[in-house]
Amino acid sequence: MNYRHAFHAGNFADVLKHLVLVRVLAHLAAKPKPFRAVDTHAGIGLYDLDADEAGRTGEWHDGIGRLDAPFAPEVEALLAPYREAVAAVRARYGARTYPGSPAIIREALRAGDKGVFVELHPVDAGTLAERYASDSRTKVLHLDGWTALNSLIPPPERRGLVLIDPPYEERGEIDRLGASLLKAVRKWPTGIFLGWYPIKDLSAVDRMAAALDAGLERPALRLDLMIERPDDPTRLSGTGLIVINPPWTLAAEAEVFLPALAERLARGGYGAFRCERLGPEG
Protein backbone atom coordinates (compact mmCIF):
# COMPACT_ATOMS: atom_id res chain seq x y z
CA MET A 1 0.00 0.00 0.00
CA ASN A 2 3.01 2.32 0.28
CA TYR A 3 4.32 1.67 -3.24
CA ARG A 4 3.60 4.37 -5.84
CA HIS A 5 4.76 3.65 -9.37
CA ALA A 6 4.95 7.35 -10.24
CA PHE A 7 8.47 7.38 -8.75
CA HIS A 8 9.61 4.62 -11.13
CA ALA A 9 7.58 5.19 -14.30
CA GLY A 10 9.52 4.81 -17.53
CA ASN A 11 12.55 3.16 -15.91
CA PHE A 12 14.44 0.25 -17.45
CA ALA A 13 12.08 -2.27 -15.86
CA ASP A 14 9.08 -0.56 -17.46
CA VAL A 15 10.80 -0.62 -20.83
CA LEU A 16 11.23 -4.41 -20.78
CA LYS A 17 7.84 -5.10 -19.20
CA HIS A 18 5.92 -2.91 -21.63
CA LEU A 19 7.85 -4.03 -24.69
CA VAL A 20 7.02 -7.68 -23.95
CA LEU A 21 3.43 -6.74 -23.12
CA VAL A 22 3.04 -5.02 -26.49
CA ARG A 23 4.54 -8.01 -28.34
CA VAL A 24 2.00 -10.33 -26.67
CA LEU A 25 -0.90 -7.94 -27.36
CA ALA A 26 0.11 -7.77 -31.03
CA HIS A 27 0.02 -11.57 -31.15
CA LEU A 28 -3.49 -11.64 -29.66
CA ALA A 29 -4.72 -8.93 -32.04
CA ALA A 30 -3.47 -10.87 -35.06
CA LYS A 31 -6.54 -13.13 -34.83
CA PRO A 32 -10.11 -11.83 -35.21
CA LYS A 33 -11.58 -13.44 -32.10
CA PRO A 34 -11.80 -11.06 -29.11
CA PHE A 35 -9.46 -11.27 -26.15
CA ARG A 36 -9.37 -10.05 -22.56
CA ALA A 37 -6.34 -8.45 -20.88
CA VAL A 38 -6.25 -8.41 -17.07
CA ASP A 39 -3.78 -6.18 -15.23
CA THR A 40 -3.69 -7.27 -11.57
CA HIS A 41 -1.59 -4.39 -10.16
CA ALA A 42 -2.52 -1.58 -12.51
CA GLY A 43 -1.38 1.68 -10.87
CA ILE A 44 -2.87 4.88 -12.30
CA GLY A 45 -2.33 4.29 -16.03
CA LEU A 46 -0.58 7.54 -16.94
CA TYR A 47 2.50 9.19 -15.45
CA ASP A 48 3.89 12.71 -15.82
CA LEU A 49 7.67 12.56 -16.17
CA ASP A 50 7.86 16.26 -15.23
CA ALA A 51 6.02 15.68 -11.95
CA ASP A 52 7.72 15.76 -8.56
CA GLU A 53 7.64 11.97 -8.09
CA ALA A 54 9.47 11.18 -11.33
CA GLY A 55 11.82 14.09 -10.78
CA ARG A 56 12.90 12.88 -7.35
CA THR A 57 14.27 9.59 -8.66
CA GLY A 58 15.00 10.47 -12.30
CA GLU A 59 14.80 6.75 -13.09
CA TRP A 60 13.18 7.34 -16.47
CA HIS A 61 16.38 8.97 -17.75
CA ASP A 62 18.06 5.53 -17.70
CA GLY A 63 14.99 3.84 -19.16
CA ILE A 64 12.74 5.39 -21.80
CA GLY A 65 15.13 8.35 -21.84
CA ARG A 66 17.84 6.20 -23.42
CA LEU A 67 15.67 4.98 -26.30
CA ASP A 68 15.66 8.17 -28.38
CA ALA A 69 18.50 7.05 -30.66
CA PRO A 70 17.41 4.34 -33.09
CA PHE A 71 18.58 0.75 -32.79
CA ALA A 72 19.53 -1.53 -35.65
CA PRO A 73 16.65 -2.06 -38.13
CA GLU A 74 15.82 -5.57 -36.90
CA VAL A 75 15.51 -4.26 -33.33
CA GLU A 76 13.48 -1.23 -34.37
CA ALA A 77 11.03 -3.50 -36.17
CA LEU A 78 10.27 -5.24 -32.85
CA LEU A 79 10.18 -1.99 -30.85
CA ALA A 80 7.84 -0.28 -33.34
CA PRO A 81 4.51 -1.25 -31.65
CA TYR A 82 5.88 -0.15 -28.26
CA ARG A 83 7.07 3.17 -29.67
CA GLU A 84 3.70 3.64 -31.41
CA ALA A 85 1.79 3.02 -28.17
CA VAL A 86 3.91 5.56 -26.29
CA ALA A 87 3.53 8.09 -29.12
CA ALA A 88 -0.25 7.63 -29.26
CA VAL A 89 -0.60 8.28 -25.54
CA ARG A 90 1.67 11.31 -25.70
CA ALA A 91 -0.29 12.73 -28.61
CA ARG A 92 -3.36 12.86 -26.35
CA TYR A 93 -1.88 13.62 -22.95
CA GLY A 94 1.37 15.47 -23.60
CA ALA A 95 4.93 14.79 -24.68
CA ARG A 96 6.16 14.19 -21.12
CA THR A 97 3.61 11.46 -20.37
CA TYR A 98 4.62 7.85 -19.92
CA PRO A 99 1.91 5.17 -20.26
CA GLY A 100 1.50 2.54 -17.59
CA SER A 101 0.33 -0.93 -18.53
CA PRO A 102 -3.41 -0.01 -18.49
CA ALA A 103 -2.79 2.71 -21.07
CA ILE A 104 -0.72 0.36 -23.20
CA ILE A 105 -3.42 -2.32 -23.02
CA ARG A 106 -6.10 0.21 -23.90
CA GLU A 107 -4.18 1.20 -27.05
CA ALA A 108 -4.33 -2.42 -28.24
CA LEU A 109 -8.02 -3.07 -27.56
CA ARG A 110 -10.34 -3.50 -30.53
CA ALA A 111 -14.13 -3.11 -30.50
CA GLY A 112 -14.82 -6.55 -28.99
CA ASP A 113 -11.82 -6.81 -26.67
CA LYS A 114 -11.86 -6.11 -22.93
CA GLY A 115 -9.36 -4.67 -20.48
CA VAL A 116 -9.74 -5.23 -16.73
CA PHE A 117 -7.54 -3.07 -14.51
CA VAL A 118 -7.20 -4.00 -10.84
CA GLU A 119 -5.72 -1.69 -8.21
CA LEU A 120 -5.77 -1.98 -4.40
CA HIS A 121 -4.55 1.51 -3.42
CA PRO A 122 -7.80 3.47 -2.89
CA VAL A 123 -6.55 6.78 -4.29
CA ASP A 124 -4.92 5.16 -7.31
CA ALA A 125 -7.98 3.00 -7.95
CA GLY A 126 -10.11 6.14 -7.97
CA THR A 127 -7.77 7.89 -10.39
CA LEU A 128 -7.77 4.86 -12.66
CA ALA A 129 -11.57 4.62 -12.61
CA GLU A 130 -11.93 8.29 -13.56
CA ARG A 131 -9.58 7.84 -16.51
CA TYR A 132 -11.26 4.78 -17.98
CA ALA A 133 -14.90 5.05 -16.86
CA SER A 134 -16.02 6.38 -20.27
CA ASP A 135 -14.54 3.47 -22.27
CA SER A 136 -16.96 0.55 -22.53
CA ARG A 137 -14.08 -1.81 -23.33
CA THR A 138 -12.42 -1.29 -19.95
CA LYS A 139 -13.35 -1.99 -16.34
CA VAL A 140 -11.57 -0.89 -13.17
CA LEU A 141 -11.77 -2.96 -9.96
CA HIS A 142 -10.70 -1.79 -6.49
CA LEU A 143 -9.39 -5.15 -5.36
CA ASP A 144 -6.28 -6.99 -4.18
CA GLY A 145 -4.38 -8.11 -7.26
CA TRP A 146 -3.57 -11.58 -5.95
CA THR A 147 -7.27 -12.14 -5.23
CA ALA A 148 -8.14 -10.89 -8.70
CA LEU A 149 -5.70 -13.30 -10.32
CA ASN A 150 -7.72 -16.21 -8.97
CA SER A 151 -11.21 -14.76 -9.39
CA LEU A 152 -11.02 -13.29 -12.91
CA ILE A 153 -9.90 -16.38 -14.82
CA PRO A 154 -10.80 -18.03 -17.06
CA PRO A 155 -12.51 -15.11 -18.86
CA PRO A 156 -15.57 -15.48 -21.10
CA GLU A 157 -13.50 -14.75 -24.20
CA ARG A 158 -11.21 -17.75 -23.52
CA ARG A 159 -8.35 -15.85 -25.21
CA GLY A 160 -6.18 -13.30 -23.49
CA LEU A 161 -3.46 -12.44 -21.03
CA VAL A 162 -2.90 -11.66 -17.38
CA LEU A 163 -0.16 -9.24 -16.34
CA ILE A 164 0.97 -9.73 -12.72
CA ASP A 165 3.08 -6.78 -11.61
CA PRO A 166 3.12 -6.61 -7.78
CA PRO A 167 5.07 -3.96 -5.86
CA TYR A 168 7.20 -6.52 -3.96
CA GLU A 169 6.75 -4.74 -0.64
CA GLU A 170 6.51 -8.00 1.31
CA ARG A 171 9.03 -10.76 1.89
CA GLY A 172 8.66 -13.86 -0.24
CA GLU A 173 6.67 -12.29 -3.07
CA ILE A 174 8.92 -13.74 -5.76
CA ASP A 175 8.14 -17.23 -4.45
CA ARG A 176 4.49 -16.20 -4.25
CA LEU A 177 4.59 -15.16 -7.89
CA GLY A 178 5.83 -18.61 -8.93
CA ALA A 179 3.25 -20.45 -6.82
CA SER A 180 0.45 -18.18 -8.05
CA LEU A 181 1.43 -18.71 -11.67
CA LEU A 182 1.36 -22.49 -11.24
CA LYS A 183 -2.12 -22.29 -9.71
CA ALA A 184 -3.43 -19.85 -12.31
CA VAL A 185 -2.28 -21.77 -15.36
CA ARG A 186 -3.96 -24.91 -14.05
CA LYS A 187 -7.20 -22.92 -13.90
CA TRP A 188 -6.72 -21.35 -17.36
CA PRO A 189 -4.34 -23.64 -19.30
CA THR A 190 -4.47 -21.66 -22.55
CA GLY A 191 -4.13 -18.18 -21.07
CA ILE A 192 -0.97 -16.13 -21.52
CA PHE A 193 0.52 -15.08 -18.18
CA LEU A 194 3.19 -12.43 -17.72
CA GLY A 195 4.75 -12.35 -14.27
CA TRP A 196 7.12 -9.42 -13.67
CA TYR A 197 9.85 -9.41 -11.02
CA PRO A 198 12.74 -7.18 -9.94
CA ILE A 199 16.17 -8.76 -9.71
CA LYS A 200 18.06 -7.98 -6.52
CA ASP A 201 18.82 -11.38 -5.01
CA LEU A 202 19.35 -13.48 -8.14
CA SER A 203 19.15 -16.71 -6.13
CA ALA A 204 15.50 -15.98 -5.27
CA VAL A 205 14.64 -15.63 -8.96
CA ASP A 206 16.57 -18.81 -9.79
CA ARG A 207 14.64 -20.69 -7.10
CA MET A 208 11.30 -19.46 -8.41
CA ALA A 209 12.23 -20.31 -12.01
CA ALA A 210 13.37 -23.81 -11.00
CA ALA A 211 10.03 -24.47 -9.27
CA LEU A 212 8.18 -23.35 -12.38
CA ASP A 213 10.40 -25.44 -14.63
CA ALA A 214 9.60 -28.53 -12.55
CA GLY A 215 5.90 -27.84 -12.06
CA LEU A 216 4.64 -26.34 -15.31
CA GLU A 217 2.77 -28.45 -17.83
CA ARG A 218 2.71 -25.57 -20.31
CA PRO A 219 5.65 -23.89 -22.09
CA ALA A 220 7.16 -20.75 -20.59
CA LEU A 221 10.00 -18.29 -21.05
CA ARG A 222 12.21 -16.59 -18.49
CA LEU A 223 13.37 -13.23 -19.84
CA ASP A 224 15.93 -11.36 -17.73
CA LEU A 225 17.57 -8.00 -18.38
CA MET A 226 20.58 -7.09 -16.24
CA ILE A 227 21.92 -3.54 -16.22
CA GLU A 228 24.42 -3.91 -13.36
CA ARG A 229 26.45 -6.76 -11.94
CA PRO A 230 24.26 -8.72 -9.49
CA ASP A 231 26.82 -8.49 -6.70
CA ASP A 232 24.72 -6.68 -4.10
CA PRO A 233 21.38 -8.32 -3.17
CA THR A 234 20.09 -5.02 -1.76
CA ARG A 235 20.37 -3.19 -5.11
CA LEU A 236 18.10 -3.44 -8.13
CA SER A 237 20.46 -4.81 -10.77
CA GLY A 238 17.96 -6.18 -13.25
CA THR A 239 14.41 -7.07 -14.10
CA GLY A 240 12.61 -9.99 -15.66
CA LEU A 241 9.42 -11.62 -16.81
CA ILE A 242 8.05 -15.13 -16.77
CA VAL A 243 5.83 -15.60 -19.82
CA ILE A 244 3.65 -18.72 -19.75
CA ASN A 245 2.17 -19.85 -23.07
CA PRO A 246 4.30 -17.31 -24.93
CA PRO A 247 3.58 -16.50 -28.57
CA TRP A 248 5.60 -18.90 -30.67
CA THR A 249 7.71 -16.02 -32.05
CA LEU A 250 8.57 -14.42 -28.70
CA ALA A 251 11.73 -16.41 -27.90
CA ALA A 252 13.31 -15.52 -31.25
CA GLU A 253 12.22 -11.89 -30.84
CA ALA A 254 13.72 -11.73 -27.34
CA GLU A 255 17.03 -12.99 -28.66
CA VAL A 256 17.07 -9.86 -30.82
CA PHE A 257 15.81 -7.12 -28.48
CA LEU A 258 17.28 -8.31 -25.16
CA PRO A 259 20.96 -7.93 -26.12
CA ALA A 260 20.21 -4.55 -27.69
CA LEU A 261 18.52 -3.34 -24.50
CA ALA A 262 21.28 -4.79 -22.31
CA GLU A 263 23.87 -2.82 -24.26
CA ARG A 264 21.88 0.42 -24.37
CA LEU A 265 20.67 0.43 -20.75
CA ALA A 266 23.81 -0.94 -19.06
CA ARG A 267 25.34 0.90 -16.12
CA GLY A 268 28.98 0.80 -15.22
CA GLY A 269 29.88 -1.03 -18.40
CA TYR A 270 27.86 -4.15 -17.52
CA GLY A 271 24.78 -5.43 -19.31
CA ALA A 272 23.51 -8.99 -19.68
CA PHE A 273 20.38 -10.93 -20.58
CA ARG A 274 18.78 -14.34 -20.34
CA CYS A 275 16.22 -15.97 -22.60
CA GLU A 276 15.48 -19.43 -21.18
CA ARG A 277 12.72 -21.94 -21.84
CA LEU A 278 10.91 -23.45 -18.86
CA GLY A 279 8.36 -26.21 -18.46
CA PRO A 280 7.96 -29.04 -21.00
CA GLU A 281 10.24 -27.25 -23.49
CA GLY A 282 12.88 -26.33 -20.91
Side-chain angles (χ1 to χ4, degrees):
M1 293 294 291
N2 295 317
Y3 179 86
R4 309 302 289 275
H5 193 67
F7 292 94
H8 313 288
N11 68 2
F12 77 95
D14 266 1
V15 169
L16 177 64
K17 175 174 58 183
H18 293 152
L19 171 57
V20 174
L21 174 62
V22 167
R23 298 308 308 168
V24 173
L25 288 165
H27 168 78
L28 288 168
K31 294 183 179 180
K33 288 186 178 181
F35 66 84
R36 179 169 298 217
V38 178
D39 187 346
T40 63
H41 298 77
I44 60 174
L46 299 169
Y47 301 93
D48 181 0
L49 297 182
D50 283 335
D52 178 64
E53 295 91 342
R56 283 195 224 173
T57 63
E59 290 184 16
W60 69 269
H61 291 286
D62 288 331
I64 188 69
R66 290 199 189 183
L67 300 192
D68 290 341
F71 291 88
E74 63 273 17
V75 180
E76 281 298 324
L78 298 175
L79 264 63
Y82 169 60
R83 291 193 186 278
E84 289 165 5
V86 173
V89 168
R90 287 180 168 177
R92 288 196 298 277
Y93 299 102
R96 304 293 287 173
T97 303
Y98 185 80
S101 45
I104 286 176
I105 289 170
R106 188 188 187 193
E107 290 301 313
L109 296 178
R110 304 163 300 179
D113 301 328
K114 299 294 182 183
V116 181
F117 309 139
V118 181
E119 177 54 46
L120 180 60
H121 194 288
V123 175
D124 289 356
T127 300
L128 198 63
E130 289 177 7
R131 284 179 170 157
Y132 296 110
S134 62
D135 192 332
S136 62
R137 301 168 301 171
T138 63
K139 183 177 183 179
V140 175
L141 299 177
H142 179 206
L143 185 67
D144 174 69
W146 296 110
T147 301
L149 173 61
N150 180 63
S151 64
L152 296 178
I153 59 171
E157 294 82 1
R158 312 302 295 184
R159 298 180 67 238
L161 68 84
V162 180
L163 172 64
I164 307 153
D165 178 17
Y168 292 95
E169 291 181 303
E170 301 178 9
R171 292 174 62 89
E173 279 201 287
I174 287 182
D175 290 325
R176 185 179 188 180
L177 174 66
S180 298
L181 285 169
L182 284 172
K183 182 179 178 180
V185 76
R186 293 187 189 113
K187 191 172 182 181
W188 187 19
T190 59
I192 301 174
F193 294 88
L194 291 82
W196 175 83
Y197 48 88
I199 300 177
K200 292 182 178 180
D201 180 1
L202 193 56
S203 65
V205 179
D206 289 341
R207 182 176 64 246
M208 180 265 293
L212 285 170
D213 189 38
L216 280 171
E217 297 180 358
R218 303 292 296 180
L221 289 175
R222 172 184 175 180
L223 306 177
D224 287 0
L225 173 65
M226 306 299 300
I227 62 160
E228 292 183 358
R229 295 188 182 278
D231 299 332
D232 183 350
T234 67
R235 287 181 56 83
L236 182 66
S237 55
T239 184
L241 286 159
I242 298 292
V243 186
I244 301 177
N245 291 320
W248 67 273
T249 58
L250 185 59
E253 292 170 355
E255 293 283 3
V256 174
F257 64 70
L258 280 174
L261 291 178
E263 181 180 15
R264 179 70 63 87
L265 302 179
R267 297 177 187 164
Y270 179 87
F273 72 95
R274 180 196 302 255
C275 178
E276 181 177 271
R277 296 183 186 272
L278 304 176
E281 297 180 0

